[in-house]
């Protein structure tokens, strides 16, 4: 299965509501990641403030950080390859990578109830 | 009236928490209680978590993070936890291993994120909960006396269900401000036990300490109801520093006595339900074990043997409030902040500065964020709100609500139910309040294009730094979204510009308020904001009272006046203690030249 990893800058909360203003991009990402997790996709976020080890342990991320510094964050990896630096992936990008419909990333997950007609 | 506080009979539980705002004498009351209990043969551990604690001065010895025996008092042990130091250690533990491994710029952003108020609060609570939940502590000591209780906010934070479950399931979404908690995630059980001990009436008494003045009684009431809401029911109130008698021929003494008695009469009704005791106003300093013993004994000896040499006649000459007003008026300052801890009289100072500037013909807008300070009330008496002076108030609760609504309406639509629940939890964080207030400030400061804006209370250094780093971040990313409102973008450069902005730090001539104000000054320096003036308010020293009790206190103010004047401030004004609360335009005018 494909794996997406997002390496966030050091932040207080991953929804972004506690910055000096609401960053709709952060809330969108939080929501998209949440939806993907609900669908059992392998999506992980690492916050630099809480989980710095992830940033040193990952060779690709570490290299980008050493080349570009803190401004390179957020960094997104798809199957261990850097696919996005300095910006969050859009819903379309996430959808393309993981092969889901983009609008599913902001919808309430539906539970399919099997109906047995017999 | 009220019974004098007597630790020998009034203390029933093993844990005692002393709480109250800065400068009310928490440390003195806690120390005196601990000494008195130890004198009865009880084994006592005294714990301070106040970074400005003068516990070391009281016992005249160095204290550490571990209990040490106090040689001069049998059975008494003390430890001093500095939450800022704990937070620093925690931060270093988190960040340290990555120095050299991650680029400096990356390490710097980590440090900044862990420098917030939340980290300090959590670090302090971590120390608390260890002492509260460790069985061996209760087996070793009969009483554990805490100088400073955890805030309701910390306790609520720990109760947020999603936060904890998030960590336990290693979900990637933790609620806000729990960043610092994540390193402590394995302590959930200890925290839960600590919270349980706090709400157990057999185990814990919450002692609210207050001065006999309106603002500190209001604050005690707020703490009381906040902590009652989260289950800490067993409370008592100690009114500290009640003047027992007065000298009718001394105006200051008479007025001082009357103001205290009147404040008690109008104490909030809810607080009247709490069992109340008093401790007397004494002329001697509450340091040294002898003095503390005396203070809570059956005969507190109100007057000290002040010998002639201790009242030296040399006066410290300092400017009055009018010098500050002249300074701002001539420099053309557009934005003026009064900052400082609660209860030091910021609102009066801000109001008087506003009145003074409007008297000089400037157009002035005055605003406050202090929920206890009703500006309409400050100016109600004679209806002389002048044409060129307008007032408003920023209500924190309303601002937070407004901010939450904006966030939820902006991003809530796209969320499903659970997503929304997450978001709402994030919005319960203390950051939200800081941010909401900050935006409100920014809006009001915008007015300074047309008039001088005087703001009572200020955004904290932490918020300013947060804004600064985020603004830089936005710039680097060259994001065009421009989500930071223009008013906020313009705010920081404006606050940093001493030509536009004047910051006035208000304090009292006492240890705790001065030390806290000096930390505030440091915090502001980190955000590159340098206070223009300090004001020492409500000085008994400046009144020249001859009351035998009050004079002792006036003498002890001198060292703090010197410290502010010589070490902490560029410019410093001294304002005498006033016979009455200055209400109304004309009374405020009087204050300017007092």
């Amino acid at each position: 299965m494909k794996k997406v990893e997002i390496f966030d800058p050091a932040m207080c909360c991953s929804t972004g509501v506690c910055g000096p203003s609401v960053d709709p991009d952060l809330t969108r990402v939080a929501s998209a990641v949440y939806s993907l997790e609900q669908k059992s996709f392998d999506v992980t976020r690492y916050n630099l403030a809480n989980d710095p080890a992830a940033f040193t342990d990952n060779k690709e991320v570490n290299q980008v950080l050493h080349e570009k510094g803190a401004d390179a964050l957020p960094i997104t990896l798809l199957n261990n390859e850097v696919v996005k630096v300095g910006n969050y992936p859009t819903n379309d990008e996430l959808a393309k990578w993981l092969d889901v419909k983009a609008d599913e990333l902001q919808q309430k997950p539906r539970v399919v109830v099997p109906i047995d007609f017999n | 009236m009220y019974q004098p506080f007597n630790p020998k009979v009034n203390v029933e539980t093993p844990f005692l928490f002393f709480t109250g705002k800065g400068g009310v004498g928490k440390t003195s009351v806690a120390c005196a209680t601990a000494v008195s209990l130890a004198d009865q043969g009880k084994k006592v551990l005294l714990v301070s978590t106040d970074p400005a604690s003068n516990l070391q001065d009281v016992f005249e010895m160095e204290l550490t993070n571990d209990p040490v025996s106090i040689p001069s008092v049998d059975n008494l042990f003390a430890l001093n936890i500095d939450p800022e130091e704990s937070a620093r250690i925690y931060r270093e533990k988190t960040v340290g291993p990555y120095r050299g491994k991650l680029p400096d710029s990356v390490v710097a952003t980590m440090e900044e994120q862990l420098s917030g108020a939340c980290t300090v609060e959590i670090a302090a609570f971590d120390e608390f909960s260890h002492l509260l939940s460790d069985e061996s502590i209760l087996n070793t000591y009969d009483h554990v006396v805490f100088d400073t209780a955890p805030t309701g906010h910390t306790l609520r934070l720990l109760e947020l269900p999603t936060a904890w479950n998030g960590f336990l399931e290693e979900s990637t979404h933790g609620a806000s401000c729990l960043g610092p908690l994540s390193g402590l995630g394995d302590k959930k059980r200890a925290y839960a036990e600590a919270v349980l001990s706090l709400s157990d009436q057999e185990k814990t008494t919450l002692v609210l300490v207050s001065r006999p003045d309106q603002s500190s009684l209001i604050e005690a009431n707020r703490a009381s109801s906040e902590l009652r809401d989260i289950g800490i029911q067993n409370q008592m109130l100690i009114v500290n520093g009640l003047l027992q008698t007065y000298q009718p021929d001394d105006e200051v003494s008479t007025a001082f006595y009357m103001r205290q008695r009147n404040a008690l009469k109008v104490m909030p009704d809810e607080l009247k339900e709490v069992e109340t005791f008093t401790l007397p106003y004494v002329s001697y300093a509450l340091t040294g074990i002898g003095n503390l013993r005396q203070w809570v004994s059956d005969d507190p000896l109100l007057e000290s043997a002040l010998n002639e040499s201790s009242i030296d006649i040399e006066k410290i000459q300092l400017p009055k409030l009018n010098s500050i007003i002249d300074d701002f008026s001539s420099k053309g300052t557009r934005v003026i902040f009064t900052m400082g801890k609660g209860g030091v009289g910021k609102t009066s100072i801000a109001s008087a500065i506003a009145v003074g500037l409007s008297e000089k013909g400037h157009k002035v807008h005055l605003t406050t964020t202090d929920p206890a300070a009703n500006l309409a009330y400050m100016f109600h008496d004679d209806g002389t709100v002048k044409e060129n002076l307008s007032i408003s108030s920023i209500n924190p609760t309303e601002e937070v609500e407004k901010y939450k609504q904006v966030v939820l309406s902006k991003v809530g639509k796209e969320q499903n139910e659970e997503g929304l629940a997450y978001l709402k939890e994030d919005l319960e964080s203390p950051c939200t309040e800081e941010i909401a207030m900050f935006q409100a400030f920014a809006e009001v400061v915008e007015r300074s294009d047309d008039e001088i804006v005087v703001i009572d209370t200020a955004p904290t250094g932490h918020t300013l730094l947060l804004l600064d780093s985020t603004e830089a971040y936005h710039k680097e990313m060259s994001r065009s979204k421009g989500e930071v409102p223009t008013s906020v973008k313009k705010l920081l450069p404006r606050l940093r510009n001493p030509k536009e902005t004047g910051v006035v730090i208000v304090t009292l001539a006492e240890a705790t308020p001065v030390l806290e104000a000096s930390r505030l000054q440091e915090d502001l320096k980190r955000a590159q904001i340098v206070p223009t003036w300090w004001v020492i308010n409500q000085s008994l020293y400046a009144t020249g009272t001859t009351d035998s009790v009050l004079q002792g206190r006036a003498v002890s103010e001198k060292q703090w006046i010197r410290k502010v004047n010589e070490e902490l401030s560029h410019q410093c004004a001294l304002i005498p203690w006033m016979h009455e609360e200055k209400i109304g335009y004309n009374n405020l005018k009087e204050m300017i030249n007092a």
Side-chain angles (χ1 to χ4, degrees):
Chain A
M1 191 169 69
K2 286 185 180 166
K3 180 174 75 172
V4 172
E5 290 162 293
I6 299 174
F7 292 80
D8 288 307
M11 41 188 201
C12 199
C13 59
S14 40
T15 50
V17 294
C18 36
S21 66
V22 187
D23 184 345
D25 219 28
L26 271 175
T27 30
R28 174 188 61 76
V29 169
S31 171
V33 167
Y34 183 73
S35 301
L36 288 167
E37 279 176 342
Q38 296 299 302
K39 295 175 199 293
S40 305
F41 281 102
D42 189 359
V43 185
T44 317
R45 277 178 84 179
Y46 302 96
N47 177 352
L48 177 62
N50 300 348
D51 198 359
F55 292 71
T56 50
D57 294 350
N58 189 299
K59 245 190 266 166
E60 281 72 26
V61 171
N62 205 354
Q63 194 185 336
V64 176
L65 284 180
H66 274 101
E67 281 164 15
K68 301 190 174 169
D71 299 337
L73 296 171
I75 299 170
T76 308
L77 304 191
L78 174 65
N79 292 334
N80 304 318
E81 263 179 57
V82 177
V83 284
K84 194 107 185 178
V85 173
N87 273 310
Y88 284 104
T90 62
N91 280 8
D92 285 338
E93 283 168 326
L94 282 171
K96 201 176 76 193
W97 298 335
L98 294 170
D99 203 19
V100 289
K101 287 194 185 111
D103 56 5
E104 281 186 60
L105 295 180
Q106 38 176 293
Q107 273 174 10
K108 194 176 171 130
R110 288 201 193 86
V111 181
V112 181
V113 184
I115 302 170
D116 190 348
F117 288 103
N118 294 320
Chain B
M1 204 142 161
Y2 300 110
Q3 291 295 308
F5 176 63
N6 183 346
K8 280 179 215 143
V9 288
N10 301 135
V11 170
E12 288 165 354
T13 58
F15 294 124
L16 290 169
F17 278 93
F18 288 83
T19 186
K21 71 181 186 188
V24 295
K26 277 191 299 287
T27 304
S28 312
V29 181
C31 288
T33 304
V35 169
S36 167
L37 291 169
D39 283 349
Q40 289 171 72
K42 301 280 178 57
K43 199 168 174 194
V44 181
L45 176 63
L46 176 60
V47 180
S48 168
T49 57
D50 188 347
S53 159
N54 49 2
L55 215 54
Q56 329 244 7
D57 303 335
V58 173
F59 296 112
E60 289 157 348
M61 62 185 288
E62 282 300 306
L63 296 172
T64 65
N65 269 345
D66 292 311
V68 289
S69 157
I70 306 291
S72 45
V73 186
D74 285 344
N75 303 315
L76 182 60
F77 298 77
L79 67 91
N80 200 359
I81 301 165
D82 178 347
E84 283 176 22
E85 178 63 10
S86 305
R88 196 192 61 74
I89 291 168
Y90 172 72
R91 190 161 56 237
E92 197 43 44
K93 209 169 74 187
T94 313
V95 177
Y98 299 97
R99 280 186 220 288
K101 283 193 192 166
L102 289 169
D104 292 348
S105 68
V106 176
V107 172
T109 62
M110 288 171 71
E111 280 185 312
E112 188 47 58
Q113 194 54 56
L114 291 171
S115 297
C118 311
T119 310
V120 177
E121 253 188 86
I122 296 299
F125 190 79
D126 188 48
E127 301 281 359
F128 269 128
S129 54
H130 160 68
L131 294 166
L132 282 169
S133 58
D134 187 344
E135 285 275 317
S136 69
I137 298 279
L138 263 191
N139 293 334
T140 313
Y141 300 98
D142 297 307
H143 295 284
V144 186
V145 176
F146 291 88
D147 173 12
T148 314
T151 66
H153 163 242
T154 313
L155 297 172
R156 259 196 307 279
L157 197 63
L158 293 164
E159 282 176 344
L160 290 178
T162 319
W164 282 108
N165 294 338
F167 278 113
L168 297 180
E169 292 156 19
E170 293 189 14
S171 154
T172 52
H173 185 296
S176 61
C177 289
L178 289 165
L181 262 182
S182 65
L184 309 166
D186 52 336
K187 294 186 178 167
K188 188 187 179 196
R189 212 175 62 91
Y191 290 153
E193 273 174 33
V195 174
L196 215 61
S197 286
L198 281 172
S199 48
D200 183 342
Q201 315 216 1
E202 303 286 309
K203 278 192 178 162
T204 302
T205 310
L206 181 80
V207 187
L208 304 150
V209 183
S210 174
R211 292 276 179 202
D213 66 52
Q214 245 177 310
S215 71
S216 91
L217 286 165
I218 289 169
E219 171 68 20
N221 187 47
R222 199 190 55 76
S224 167
S225 74
E226 188 174 80
L227 293 163
R228 202 179 319 113
D229 282 350
I230 48 175
I232 306 176
Q233 303 281 351
N234 190 8
Q235 306 186 348
M236 67 164 84
L237 171 68
I238 294 179
V239 175
N240 178 29
L242 193 64
L243 194 62
Q244 306 292 304
T245 55
Y246 61 100
Q247 281 170 237
D249 57 343
D250 183 276
E251 248 183 87
V252 175
S253 158
T254 311
F256 196 93
Y257 181 87
M258 292 305 171
R259 272 185 76 166
Q260 289 197 339
R261 302 287 151 159
N262 290 336
L264 288 180
K265 268 187 217 148
V266 298
M267 188 198 285
D269 285 335
E270 265 184 295
L271 198 59
K272 284 184 183 152
E273 305 291 311
V274 178
E275 196 179 11
T276 302
F277 301 93
T278 63
L279 279 168
Y281 195 97
V282 289
S283 64
Y284 48 86
L286 292 168
T287 50
I289 289 149
N291 285 354
L292 289 174
R293 264 195 191 118
Q294 180 99 59
W295 188 39
V296 294
S297 73
D298 300 334
D299 178 20
L301 269 184
L302 307 175
E303 297 169 35
S304 74
L306 265 186
N307 47 28
E308 285 304 311
S309 64
S310 62
I311 321 168
D312 69 58
I313 326 131
E314 164 245 357
K315 279 269 173 196
I316 304 170
Q317 289 297 332
L318 286 174
K320 298 171 185 173
L321 204 51
N322 58 17
S323 305
I324 299 184
I325 292 159
D326 290 344
D327 182 40
F328 287 146
S329 174
S330 65
K331 280 198 303 210
T333 308
R334 305 301 300 167
V335 185
I336 296 158
F337 280 104
T338 54
M339 303 193 190
K341 294 288 154 186
V344 294
K346 282 193 299 289
T347 309
S348 311
I349 301 290
S351 304
I353 290 176
V355 165
L357 287 167
S358 88
E359 280 289 302
K360 285 186 178 290
H362 297 284
K363 200 165 176 238
V364 183
H365 181 75
L366 168 67
T367 190
T368 182
T369 57
D370 184 350
N374 186 342
L375 285 181
Y377 166 75
M378 288 291 292
F379 287 95
H380 80 136
D381 69 331
D382 43 11
T384 25
V385 171
K386 294 284 158 79
E387 247 171 54
N388 59 350
L389 175 65
S390 58
I391 55 177
S392 69
S393 74
I394 301 172
N395 178 316
T397 324
E398 281 169 22
E399 291 301 330
V400 168
E401 216 29 63
K402 210 163 79 187
Y403 178 76
K404 282 184 187 168
Q405 288 314 318
V406 170
V407 173
L408 291 174
S409 70
K410 239 189 236 170
V411 293
K413 294 190 289 286
E414 302 150 18
Q415 309 281 332
N416 60 38
E417 224 168 280
E418 287 141 286
L420 207 58
Y422 272 148
L423 203 59
K424 281 188 177 155
E425 217 169 78
D426 268 3
L427 283 169
E428 291 305 315
S429 90
C431 304
T432 306
E433 187 173 331
E434 271 192 60
I435 299 306
M437 291 306 286
F438 197 76
Q439 296 206 343
F441 278 124
E443 267 169 49
V444 98
V445 169
E446 280 280 274
R447 299 182 65 143
S448 69
D449 291 341
D450 306 317
E451 53 197 339
I452 298 179
V453 179
V454 181
I455 307 174
D456 168 29
T457 316
T460 67
H462 171 58
T463 319
L464 295 169
L465 286 165
L466 189 66
L467 174 75
D468 187 31
S469 61
T470 311
E471 202 196 26
Y473 177 74
H474 275 248
K475 230 182 279 161
E476 292 296 327
M477 294 292 104
S478 50
R479 287 189 185 175
S480 51
K481 286 195 198 75
E483 266 299 305
V484 178
T486 337
S487 58
V488 173
K489 272 191 188 157
K490 279 157 73 180
L491 182 62
L492 193 64
R494 190 170 260 172
L495 295 189
R496 281 179 178 157
N497 181 354
K499 285 206 181 86
E500 275 188 274
T501 301
V503 172
V504 179
I505 291 192
V506 185
T507 185
L508 307 178
E510 287 168 31
T512 318
V514 168
L515 295 174
E516 288 188 9
S518 78
R519 280 205 304 277
L520 174 65
Q521 175 158 277
E522 285 308 307
D523 225 17
L524 289 168
K525 275 183 186 157
R526 283 205 299 157
Q528 296 163 43
I529 295 171
V530 182
T532 339
W533 280 90
W534 279 56
V535 171
I536 300 170
N537 198 18
Q538 298 166 14
S539 165
L540 280 172
Y541 174 81
T543 63
T545 175
T546 55
D547 180 288
S548 53
V549 178
L550 297 181
Q551 218 174 36
R553 210 52 80 89
V555 169
S556 71
E557 280 183 5
K558 258 191 347 195
Q559 60 164 312
W560 297 108
I561 297 173
R562 282 214 181 92
K563 188 174 172 75
V564 171
N565 187 38
E566 289 160 23
E567 292 171 36
L568 296 170
S569 67
H570 296 297
Q571 305 174 95
C572 164
L574 182 66
I575 299 172
W577 185 87
M578 304 270 165
H579 297 196
E580 54 187 19
E581 206 181 349
K582 291 294 175 196
I583 302 290
Y585 192 92
N586 291 321
N587 282 328
L588 284 162
K589 235 162 64 181
E590 275 174 32
M591 185 173 176
I592 296 165
N593 295 309

